[in-house]
Amino acid sequence: AMRILIPEDDPVSRELLRHALEGHGHQVTAAADGRAALAAFQAAPADMVITDWMMPEMDGPRFAATSAS
């Protein structure tokens, strides 16, 4: 199983994706925006991140660049 982080501000999309991935046995952490996702990633790095492009606080590309550094 993989540890997957989902930064997604739309609650319906976030929960649908979480449900689908957990159904395949993955451990999922979801965050409502990029800043919360960055904090979660720094606390427990994920094997994979599936991020929204446009989110409040910090968008997907900025989250990706910040978490990679």
Side-chain angles (χ1 to χ4, degrees):
M2 295 177 66
R3 293 180 321 258
I4 301 173
L5 175 60
I6 305 169
E8 170 61 69
D9 63 321
D10 178 63
V12 173
S13 297
R14 188 172 57 241
E15 290 308 310
L16 284 172
L17 190 52
R18 176 202 298 264
H19 180 74
L21 293 169
E22 287 178 343
H24 286 281
H26 299 294
Q27 179 185 344
V28 178
T29 301
D33 61 57
R35 288 197 196 280
L38 185 59
F41 187 81
Q42 289 171 336
D47 300 314
M48 177 186 290
V49 177
I50 302 172
T51 186
D52 187 2
W53 187 263
M54 296 176 61
M55 295 180 287
E57 303 296 324
M58 179 185 291
D59 63 18
R62 186 164 178 198
F63 163 77
T66 304
S67 63
S69 59

